[in-house]
Amino acid sequence: MPRVLSVGTAVPPYPLKQEEAQSFARELFQESLPRIERLLPIFRNAAIRQRWLSRPKEWFEQPHSFSERNEAYVKTAVQLGEKAIRRCLESLEIAPQEVDHIILVSTSGLATPSLDARLINQMGMSAHVKRTPIWGLGCAGGAAGLARAYEYARAFPDETVLLVAVELCSLTFRQRDRSKSNLVASSLFGDGAAAALVAGETSRPVAAGATGPLIVDAMSTIWQDSLDVMGWDVTDDGLQVIFSRDIPAIVKQEMQPVVERFLDRRGLTVDQVERYIAHPGGAKVLHAYEETLGLSGEAFRHAKSVLEENGNMSSATVLFVLEKELEEMHHPGTYGLVTALGPGFSSEMLLLQW
């Protein structure tokens, strides 16, 4: 079975305290949303202390064209992606030229040639490295990318796969959009990049003694008639967020049978899974997971920590959580569940075993 050997992460240089974000939102939205003071508690209730932005807070006080924001996305995404990759590979003393396949996940900007091609050029990777850019999976992208890396490494067990997830959610902010959905997005989303190395069981790093949890299984789920739950509307001014308030309710209603079905494929129950590596879409989403699966808040401590320090970084976030999990000690045989939700409306899950 393939293994996750390492995770590296990176954030941009501009921190934003949640109190600053709330003040910014009050100033910007008060004319279009007369009851702004009744809405501002979403900032306090988000369980976020700070986030990291690709540009200083002052930059967002002025409108910027879609092309200007996307140009900033491409430049910054390559910078952060390289940092995350180097942190991932250096811990294993693996050179970028040794990577056999790169999977690049991002949904917060547009780039052709894609970001993976730019990173290959910038980092001097092999001219023959295989690449798979994935766009449109949103918050589910980190888990989905990990699942695709697992499947590839199963098919080619002597190869290594580098998953890179880069999301610069702040650069999708449309300053002229004074809608409630844009206000909610401004309370949650931040920027970040993460890279994970997945290696087949006969690959060079594993043969040399590198270790990490096995990826035992993966499952995708998409619910019918739920396209309006999460995603983007493409407008003349850029990407307009779609973010339904019903997401926590959907988690409570739909996730338990999906998780149970997934675990049952391996003869497991929820009680036998000791570690939960969840994408923290928001505090209410994590609470909904706890309720529907009958888990304590301690089960999602890493997810809550990442949410508090980084906000929701879309696809990259679950890999930040995985990085924290990999830093801990585990008894042999311990199972972990990676889970993330995204546009579709969809679920991506992986089963890990230490």
Side-chain angles (χ1 to χ4, degrees):
M1 288 289 181
R3 294 180 180 271
V4 183
L5 300 186
S6 177
V7 175
T9 59
V11 294
Y14 303 104
L16 178 71
K17 301 295 184 185
Q18 190 73 331
E19 295 82 0
E20 295 178 278
Q22 180 175 317
S23 297
F24 172 82
R26 177 186 285 111
E27 181 78 17
L28 184 65
F29 288 91
Q30 59 185 351
E31 290 186 9
S32 56
L33 298 173
R35 299 183 178 181
I36 185 68
E37 295 300 329
R38 297 180 61 180
L39 298 173
L40 288 179
I42 61 174
F43 287 83
R44 296 191 296 273
N45 298 334
I48 296 170
R49 188 178 68 85
Q50 69 175 7
R51 288 168 278 160
W52 301 85
L53 307 183
S54 297
R55 293 292 182 271
K57 178 173 66 72
E58 294 74 22
W59 190 84
F60 297 93
E61 295 174 356
Q62 302 299 321
H64 299 276
S65 68
F66 185 19
S67 61
E68 184 181 359
R69 283 180 274 130
N70 198 70
E71 182 180 355
Y73 159 82
V74 173
K75 180 179 179 180
T76 307
V78 172
Q79 292 172 345
L80 284 185
E82 179 176 0
K83 286 183 180 179
I85 291 170
R86 293 199 182 279
R87 288 172 180 170
C88 175
L89 298 181
E90 285 173 358
S91 64
L92 298 167
E93 298 183 347
I94 293 175
Q97 295 81 6
E98 297 179 72
V99 172
D100 298 301
H101 191 147
I102 180 171
I103 297 175
L104 194 292
V105 174
S106 188
T107 309
S108 47
L110 305 173
T112 304
S114 51
L115 296 176
D116 48 287
R118 298 165 194 264
L119 285 163
I120 290 167
N121 277 267
Q122 183 159 306
M123 301 185 69
M125 292 183 172
S126 169
H128 305 292
V129 63
K130 293 174 274 296
R131 60 193 184 99
T132 303
I134 301 177
W135 195 91
L137 292 175
C139 294
L146 199 61
R148 303 295 84 78
Y150 151 70
E151 291 159 355
Y152 183 88
R154 280 186 66 190
F156 300 95
D158 61 336
E159 297 198 3
T160 58
V161 187
L162 182 67
L163 166 65
V164 185
V166 186
E167 301 290 4
L168 308 182
C169 303
S170 72
L171 295 178
T172 68
F173 182 75
R174 298 160 62 250
Q175 201 263 0
R176 295 187 181 93
D177 178 5
R178 309 299 169 84
S179 66
K180 183 178 177 181
S181 61
N182 200 29
L183 174 69
V184 172
S186 70
S187 73
L188 286 174
F189 291 102
D191 301 345
L197 189 69
V198 176
E201 59 186 358
T202 58
S203 64
R204 293 182 301 275
V206 172
T211 189
L214 295 168
I215 304 178
V216 178
D217 201 358
M219 188 175 83
S220 302
T221 302
I222 185 167
W223 288 280
Q224 291 292 317
D225 302 319
S226 60
L227 298 177
D228 59 348
V229 172
M230 184 187 294
W232 297 121
D233 277 333
V234 181
T235 72
D236 291 340
D237 190 31
L239 303 173
Q240 182 178 19
V241 67
I242 301 171
F243 198 64
S244 172
R245 63 184 299 176
D246 296 329
I247 294 173
I250 295 172
V251 173
K252 289 181 184 179
Q253 180 178 336
E254 303 289 349
M255 281 306 296
Q256 182 181 359
V258 172
V259 171
E260 289 177 347
R261 179 182 179 185
F262 177 49
L263 295 178
D264 186 60
R265 299 196 325 193
R266 294 287 169 171
L268 299 173
T269 64
V270 171
D271 293 339
Q272 292 173 281
V273 177
E274 296 182 34
R275 306 296 178 123
Y276 286 85
I277 302 102
H279 166 70
K284 290 184 178 180
V285 173
L286 290 177
H287 184 64
Y289 269 117
E290 293 168 4
E291 285 194 4
T292 192
L293 298 178
L295 300 170
S296 70
E298 180 67 11
F300 297 102
R301 65 186 185 282
H302 292 320
K304 292 177 180 178
S305 173
V306 169
L307 182 66
E308 180 183 8
E309 294 301 318
N310 301 87
N312 183 339
M313 299 169 287
S314 192
S315 69
T317 323
V318 74
L319 300 179
F320 276 68
V321 181
L322 179 58
E323 179 185 41
K324 286 185 174 294
E325 189 63 55
L326 294 183
E327 292 171 353
E328 294 202 351
M329 298 294 294
H330 301 81
H331 296 296
T334 296
Y335 285 103
L337 181 69
V338 179
T339 177
L341 300 167
F345 185 57
S346 61
S347 160
E348 295 286 343
M349 292 186 293
L350 299 98
L351 184 65
L352 306 182
Q353 186 178 30
W354 276 265

